[in-house]
Structures are given as C-alpha cells and as structure tokens.
Amino acid sequence: MAPIRKLRSTTALLQLGFGGLACISSNLWAEELSLELQQTDVIADIVDDSRNTDSYRSGFSTMGNKIDVPALEQAQTVDVVTPRVLKDQKPQSLDDVAKFVPGVNVGNSFGGTRDALMIRGFAKDEENGVLRDGVRQVTGRNFQSITTERVEVLKGPAGLLYSMNEPGGVINIVSRKPQFQASQSLGGSLADSGGGDAWVDVTGPLGESGLAYRLIGQRKHEDHWRDFGVNEHTLIAPSLAYEHEKISALLAYQYIDADDVLDRAAAMDANGTMIGSRDQRMDEKFSATHNKQQSVNFTGEYRWTDATRTRMTLGYAEKEYTDEQVRFGSRISTTSVPRTYAINEDGRYSTEYQAFELLTNQDLIGTRHEMLWGVDRELRKKRGPLSGSGALSTFNPYNPVYDGEPPANISWSDGRDFQRTTGYGAYFKDNIHIGDRWIVSPGLRWQHYEVEAGQEHNADAGFSQSSGEPLAYLGVLYKVRDDLSLYASYSESFLAPAIETDDAYAPLTSYKPETGRQYEIGAKFDNGRMSSTIALFDIRKNNVYQKDQNTMTQWLAGQVTSRGVEVSATGYLTQRLSVLGHYAYTQARYSQDVDYQDNYIPNVPRHVAGLYLTYDGLGFAGGKLRSGIGARYVGERYIEQNNDLTVPGYTVTDAFVSWSTTQLLGKETTLQLNLGNLTDKTYIVSTGNQSRRMSWGEERNARLSAEVTF
C-alpha cells in the first residue's frame, strides 16, 4: 500500500501547488477586473480560447500528434512560442526565439550564421532538428520573423512521427498561411548599429474560387553590431491555399539570398584568459557566409467523413553556400594570435520528404480512439565544398593591423566529400480515451535507412550501410481535474550514422546508428488563462559519434546521458499582466567513453532560468501602450570535451514598449522599440566546441520598428 499512499500524497501536493497558482491568478484577475470596471478603457474579457493569438499561453499544439491536441491531453512536453511572444520580443533568429524556452540553449551556431539549438543537452552540427510546417529543413538560418506564425518545440525523442533525429527533440516553425479575408501590411525596422529592413505582407481570397493567396517580401541591409561587417538578406515567400467542402490544400515556397557576417572571433588561451575584447574583432572583413536557400512544401487533405481524412505531404529544401573565415592557431596569447585563412566554396545541402497519412477518430468497445497511420520517405544529401587555406598575419589585439583581403596564394583540397542518407518509415499512434480521465497513447514505427558516403576524388574512401529497427512510444495521462493532468511517457529515437570522410580525419572501422530512449514524468496545469508544466526526464543515447577538431580524430563515445527537470509558466497573471517564466536543470554527461568518461557535454549549462512580464492596455495619445521587461540566466558551460575550460554564466535583461493606434495614419499602426542587453553585459553566447571558436553575445542594442495594416 505504500506506493499507493505515496502516489496519493504526490497527487495532493500537485493539486495544492497548481491550485495555489490558479487561486493567485484568479484573485489577481478579480481584483484588477473590479478596478478596471470603473475605468472607461476596459479590455475585452479574455475567454478560454486555445487559439487566442494575443496570449503568451497556448492551449494546444500539433507536434506530438500531427493534429491539434489540447496541452492537458499530451503525455509529453511541447513548448509553444506564440504569435504574441514573437510580436513583443521581435526575435531576429531562432536563437532569440529560444531565449524563454526551458531546456534549450545555443550550441555551435557557426559564428551566428545557422540554427544550432541544443535541446535537453543534444545537438549535432549538421543535424539541426528544425522543421518548417512538419518538413525537415537544411542546415542554415530557417527562422524568418516575417513569415512565421508560431514556433513549437517537441521535447524528447521524436522518432515515432519525425523519422531520424537527435533524442533531445525537434523544432517546428509554423508558417503564416493565406487568409480568406483580405489584409495588407507594410513595415520595417531600424537598428542602432546602422541599417535595417523593410517588408510587405499581402493576403486575401482570389474571388469565389476557393483559393487564397499570400505574398511576403523582405529586404534587409544591416550593419553587424561589432566594429565591421554587413548582413544582407532578400526574401520572397508566396503561398496559395485551397478550401472546399472535402478538400484542403496548401502550396508554399520560400527563397532567401543571404550574406551573413561569420563572427566567432572570440578566443581563450590555455589558462582560461579571454583574448582581445568584445569591442574589437580579431578576424577580417571578408569573414562571412554567402547562402542561397529555398524550400517548397505541399500539403493536401481529403475528408472522407467528419471523423476520417487522408493527408499527403511533400517537401523539398536546399541550400548552396560559400564561406570565408579566419581561424586561430593553437599557440595563442594575449598579445599574439596566429591566424590562417579558410574558404569553403560551393557546398550544398538538400532534403526531400514525402508522407501519406490516415487520421481517424473512432469509438471502439466503449473507448474513443484518435488514430494516425502513416508512411514516409526522407532523403538527405550533402555535397561538401571545395576547401582552401592560406596564410594571414599574426594579430596583436593591443596593436590591431588587418590584412584587409584574402591571401593571394590559396592551397585547395583535392575534391569534395559527400553523403546521401535515405530513410523509410511506417508508423502508427493511437490516443485511447478511457472514460473521462485516462488517455493511453501507444505508438510504433519501423525505421529503415540507407547511407552512402565518400569522396569525389578518392573511390577507396567510399562507404555504404543499411539497417533498420523498430521505435516504440507509450504515453499514459490522467486528468486529475479539468485543469490538471499527470503523465508519464517512454519514447525512442534513431539517427543514421554521420560519416566523416574528410581526409583530415582517420576513418572509423565501423559505424553504427545512434539510438536513444527517454523516460519522462510530469504534470500540466491549464485554467484557460495560465498554463504551467513541470517535467522530469532521463535520456540515454547510444553509439554516440564524436570528433575532436583539435586532434583531428573521430570515435564512438559509447553512451551519453541527460537528466533534468523543466518548469514553465505562461499566460495571464491578471487581465493586463502577462508572464513567461521558466527554469531548467540539465545534467548531460558522457556516461561511457574511453577518453571523457563522466565529463559534461560541452555547451550545455546545468542551470537556465528566465522571467518576462508584460503589461498591456494603458491609454496614451489616442492609442494603447504595451510594455514588457524580462531577464534570462544561462549558467556556466564547458567549452570542450576535456572539461578543462569553461565560459562563465550570465544574466541578460531585455525590454520593449509599443504603441498602437488607428489615428496616426487612419489605419491600424504600431510603433515599437525593443531594447536588448540593458545592462550591457559582456558574455559568450556560443562556442564551437573549441576555445578558439567562440562568439560574443551582443552588446546593448536597440531596434525601432513600425507596421501599418490596411
């Protein structure tokens, strides 16, 4: 009986804790409402609307089931960055989006030029786990604020529905869709570093045809926040939707031409002393990436009945890139920084995706079933660049002299490396509703992969492998009350081996797919105004592939474990006051490894926390003011696998104020000022798993934006 008494005690404590949160929120809500009823500018009542786009809370998500499911009915963690958060915080990258998502931190972002988020301690340089509308994207910068509706982060192994991924989780960027009500928006922003952007967003129906369109365009020319460099982007994103009694279809395309400053010119010597300063770059003006990236998605659904539909999804994405950079030598000191020039020319990534799914709701033997059956195919291709190198002058931070141009003599590699990975999957998931309180969710996938890798100039370096295995999922959820759920889940992941065929690395004698599993337990609270989640997880990943860029070696680490706890709270504290709050503790270590047994995974802070408060509704000059302020803490992180050096933790504070009116131009107009790093904190935001490849966090900054909607 002791386990039952313990379960009852735990349930009672959770009810007391979440009930207290509900009571505090309700009391604050009632007190403020009684005061506001005496004012003339009362805000409209906030109702329990899971799709309320003006809230920090999201009562639903699609990631865990590929259909809209209430948060209280999901036996896993899905964090949603809502449209309101994106509007208020004006993120410029996926790194910014993740600032207030628990358990997510910036990894090796290649000098701020690509998405590289670590989820629950896991990431891989070329396996970014980023989807757009459920379709995998290539390595690069995939978040564009002007085209994004919201962002969802599914925590833990996602192999059941999303094929081959790291066990930490996946991120889905949900695009803005065509609307059947006409709307036109113009906007732009100015950065205090110099320059800015301008954009247009037009949507509406095409007569009575059942078609609707959307066209988004953006041009950005903005000075880099450090002493030199310019970021330039051109974006165009047309889309077309069709709605009929039984048919829905969406075709979307996005093209980006981007030149981004590649800035990881922060370094540390062997004693842990920082070389140079945040205010002065130690690389060159030519250090940048040049990318052309495009993607196209198609989704079509046919509704056979109100309870059954079929869905087809097709997707393709590619990126062609060239980068030039400055690399620092190992014998680095405070007055002498050896430098070399490196160029990677005409590399290419691409992905293809096809899926066919059957979704049905059925009542069977007194239970309600939400079933998903599907098959998919995914093809990932990488064509390595032509690589070259040359000599540059040694740099003295106290007496800076720049070369200004790449070296005249460049030594080129013999050819390119390549890899082609094909995955085939068949999967099933069923959310079984047993009575009004219990939901049991079994799932199973068969995953098969084929991988080929080699070098164009060296046939002997070729390698191929194929294999397959099942992936299981099981979730159990109990609804204690209408606003409180307890859950437990088990999930698995699978990732085909990433084969390094570069001549600089000694080849492995064998490769194995990386497999992972997670146990998670937690509780969720949602009363329609405020939502909160607490989750405890234990992840184990086997056959971990590692490479050391200092010693140019590669090996199978054996096993990595990540254990931790995440707590989040989002929504309305009162009718005017919103909150984003989170805390995460993550302990990610090499649990089996010849060289780094029990060492911590680089770039993973054990402690991360954040709190953001926003107040809305103050009348001012014929319009309405909205303002917010928040701080986030990122703990100390190890830089390399040997755990000899660390970068210190930091706390950064951001704020914004916006003013909306219909009186300025006769149309809905919004002016907004966003301020970053208010205290001008000096910190390292990411490392490339090397003490000589790190990036400074941005100094105090400001961005003024304007938007007019017709």
Side-chain angles (χ1 to χ4, degrees):
M1 296 295 293
I4 295 177
R5 287 197 299 270
K6 185 175 181 181
L7 176 61
R8 287 173 176 170
S9 299
T10 302
T11 302
L13 286 171
L14 286 166
Q15 286 181 304
L16 180 61
F18 283 118
L21 176 62
C23 183
I24 292 171
S25 177
S26 298
N27 287 340
L28 287 171
W29 186 281
E31 290 173 6
E32 184 171 283
L33 182 60
S34 65
L35 291 174
E36 290 184 346
L37 286 173
Q38 303 173 25
Q39 301 176 359
T40 58
D41 59 336
V42 179
I43 298 178
D45 289 340
I46 305 298
V47 297
D48 182 5
D49 179 5
S50 295
R51 291 186 174 276
N52 180 10
T53 61
D54 206 40
S55 173
Y56 285 174
R57 163 193 167 271
S58 177
F60 79 100
S61 67
T62 61
M63 282 289 286
N65 299 274
K66 291 196 172 183
I67 56 173
D68 293 349
V69 174
L72 288 174
E73 297 183 3
Q74 300 185 53
Q76 55 198 132
T77 301
V78 182
D79 292 308
V80 180
V81 182
T82 67
R84 183 74 260 178
V85 176
L86 298 179
K87 288 179 182 178
D88 288 348
Q89 297 185 1
K90 289 288 188 293
Q92 300 299 300
S93 67
L94 206 55
D95 302 348
D96 294 337
V97 172
K99 286 179 180 179
F100 291 90
V101 178
V104 181
N105 64 282
V106 180
N108 178 14
S109 65
F110 198 59
T113 64
R114 67 185 182 193
D115 305 323
L117 295 177
M118 304 189 73
I119 308 174
R120 290 184 171 176
F122 293 97
K124 185 168 287 184
D125 288 354
E126 295 174 358
E127 176 56 48
N128 59 9
V130 176
L131 315 175
R132 176 177 295 279
D133 299 323
V135 176
R136 185 177 310 281
Q137 301 300 290
V138 293
T139 299
R141 283 297 192 196
N142 290 294
F143 173 81
Q144 308 295 327
S145 61
I146 186 59
T147 63
T148 302
E149 177 71 18
R150 69 182 189 275
V151 178
E152 298 186 3
V153 183
L154 173 61
K155 303 290 188 61
L160 176 66
L161 301 181
Y162 298 103
S163 186
M164 298 176 287
N165 292 285
E166 288 286 328
V170 293
I171 299 169
N172 188 37
I173 300 171
V174 181
S175 301
R176 294 180 179 177
K177 306 298 191 298
Q179 301 297 304
F180 285 87
Q181 181 175 351
S183 176
Q184 303 85 37
S185 297
L186 300 173
S189 67
L190 296 174
D192 65 337
S193 59
D197 75 316
W199 55 264
V200 60
D201 181 1
V202 182
T203 186
L206 291 174
E208 302 296 327
S209 63
L211 293 168
Y213 73 96
R214 191 160 199 158
L215 178 61
I216 300 174
Q218 182 185 41
R219 173 62 181 167
K220 178 179 180 180
H221 181 99
E222 188 173 304
D223 293 340
H224 185 49
W225 66 271
R226 296 185 76 194
D227 44 349
F228 52 79
V230 175
N231 295 308
E232 289 198 66
H233 292 188
T234 299
L235 175 148
I236 183 168
S239 55
L240 187 66
Y242 177 73
E243 283 292 339
H244 187 265
E245 181 181 354
K246 290 184 174 294
I247 299 174
S248 296
L250 174 68
L251 178 64
Y253 174 77
Q254 181 170 288
Y255 173 82
I256 302 171
D257 190 333
D259 293 338
D260 288 319
V261 175
L262 197 167
D263 182 3
R264 55 181 180 184
M268 183 182 288
D269 67 15
N271 299 316
T273 302
M274 291 301 302
I275 308 299
S277 70
R278 180 186 68 178
D279 301 325
Q280 183 183 74
R281 291 181 62 176
M282 297 188 296
D283 52 1
E284 297 283 343
K285 290 183 178 181
F286 53 73
S287 186
T289 63
H290 314 281
N291 306 311
K292 291 185 178 180
Q293 188 169 329
Q294 59 184 334
S295 65
V296 59
N297 290 2
F298 172 80
T299 302
E301 286 191 356
Y302 184 82
R303 292 175 285 277
W304 299 91
T305 67
D306 291 342
T308 302
R309 53 186 163 143
T310 51
R311 175 194 296 156
M312 181 174 65
T313 304
L314 307 174
Y316 176 79
E318 70 171 20
K319 183 181 82 168
E320 297 178 347
Y321 70 94
T322 294
D323 66 73
E324 296 178 273
Q325 56 183 290
V326 175
R327 295 176 177 171
F328 301 145
S330 58
R331 297 182 178 181
I332 194 170
S333 70
T334 56
T335 59
S336 178
V337 181
R339 305 185 306 165
T340 58
Y341 168 80
I343 180 171
N344 297 299
E345 187 174 83
D346 194 26
R348 188 174 184 272
Y349 295 101
S350 68
T351 65
E352 299 176 15
Y353 179 75
Q354 303 93 33
F356 185 82
E357 296 165 324
L358 171 67
L359 304 94
T360 183
N361 296 336
Q362 301 291 335
D363 291 326
L364 301 172
I365 318 178
T367 58
R368 180 163 59 91
H369 295 252
E370 298 168 342
M371 291 183 285
L372 168 66
W373 303 78
V375 293
D376 62 16
R377 173 186 176 271
E378 184 178 14
L379 173 61
R380 310 180 193 180
K381 293 195 289 186
K382 168 193 170 184
R383 184 191 67 187
L386 291 172
S387 299
S389 62
L392 292 173
S393 63
T394 299
F395 191 82
N396 183 350
Y398 296 99
N399 184 26
V401 177
Y402 296 96
D403 289 18
E405 298 292 338
N409 297 318
I410 299 176
S411 176
W412 291 93
S413 61
D414 293 335
R416 311 171 187 270
D417 63 318
F418 67 89
Q419 180 159 334
R420 176 190 175 102
T421 303
T422 308
Y424 303 92
Y427 48 93
F428 165 77
K429 186 178 183 183
D430 187 6
N431 295 328
I432 307 171
H433 295 252
I434 304 173
D436 296 329
R437 298 295 180 185
W438 288 95
I439 302 175
V440 179
S441 303
L444 185 64
R445 179 187 183 95
W446 175 258
Q447 179 66 52
H448 177 81
Y449 78 90
E450 299 171 358
V451 60
E452 300 176 72
Q455 299 171 350
E456 290 182 351
H457 64 287
N458 184 1
D460 294 334
F463 181 88
S464 64
Q465 187 180 75
S466 64
S467 183
E469 64 179 78
L471 301 177
Y473 173 85
L474 179 62
V476 179
L477 183 142
Y478 178 68
K479 298 185 72 172
V480 181
R481 304 187 315 234
D482 290 342
D483 61 0
L484 176 64
S485 298
L486 306 179
Y487 71 91
S489 64
Y490 171 84
S491 53
E492 295 181 337
S493 68
F494 181 94
L495 192 60
I499 299 170
E500 181 61 73
T501 58
D502 192 315
D503 287 335
Y505 291 88
L508 293 176
T509 56
S510 65
Y511 294 87
K512 298 179 180 180
E514 297 179 339
T515 60
R517 66 99 180 110
Q518 174 186 264
Y519 295 101
E520 179 177 333
I521 60 172
K524 297 184 178 185
F525 166 80
D526 193 326
N527 66 358
R529 299 185 302 270
M530 172 71 69
S531 66
S532 183
T533 299
I534 179 170
L536 292 83
F537 62 88
D538 182 312
I539 302 175
R540 183 177 67 199
K541 179 181 176 184
N542 296 312
N543 303 325
V544 179
Y545 167 79
Q546 295 287 345
K547 61 181 180 181
D548 190 328
Q549 294 179 342
N550 290 315
T551 60
M552 303 306 289
T553 57
Q554 57 180 328
W555 70 98
L556 290 176
Q559 189 179 96
V560 169
T561 59
S562 177
R563 300 184 176 98
V565 59
E566 297 169 352
V567 182
S568 65
T570 60
Y572 290 101
L573 284 175
T574 73
Q575 197 172 17
R576 292 183 183 272
L577 185 63
S578 299
V579 64
L580 281 174
H582 77 270
Y583 168 76
Y585 172 79
T586 307
Q587 186 183 80
R589 310 181 78 163
Y590 296 104
S591 48
Q592 293 180 13
D593 187 76
V594 175
D595 297 322
Y596 302 125
Q597 181 82 22
D598 295 329
N599 282 14
Y600 289 95
I601 304 299
N603 248 333
V604 182
R606 272 174 282 180
H607 300 279
V608 175
L611 180 66
Y612 204 95
L613 296 172
T614 298
Y615 192 77
D616 187 22
L618 289 177
F620 176 76
K624 186 177 73 170
L625 283 177
R626 180 179 175 90
S627 60
I629 188 169
R632 65 190 186 282
Y633 168 77
V634 178
E636 181 183 63
R637 295 152 291 157
Y638 288 102
I639 300 175
E640 301 173 349
Q641 293 103 325
N642 57 26
N643 286 185
D644 289 341
L645 300 173
T646 63
V647 290
Y650 61 87
T651 300
V652 174
T653 303
D654 301 332
F656 84 95
V657 59
S658 68
W659 177 65
S660 300
T661 183
T662 58
Q663 299 183 14
L664 185 62
L665 299 173
K667 303 293 182 181
E668 184 180 341
T669 304
T670 300
L671 300 176
Q672 182 165 320
L673 177 65
N674 286 79
L675 303 171
N677 195 1
L678 289 176
T679 61
D680 204 24
K681 177 71 175 180
T682 299
Y683 64 100
I684 296 294
V685 67
S686 72
T687 75
N689 297 339
Q690 268 195 32
S691 59
R692 305 187 306 278
R693 293 185 181 181
M694 302 190 294
S695 297
W696 294 103
E698 190 169 357
E699 63 189 4
R700 184 188 294 118
N701 59 88
R703 181 176 297 273
L704 178 64
S705 58
E707 178 179 348
V708 180
T709 300
F710 301 89

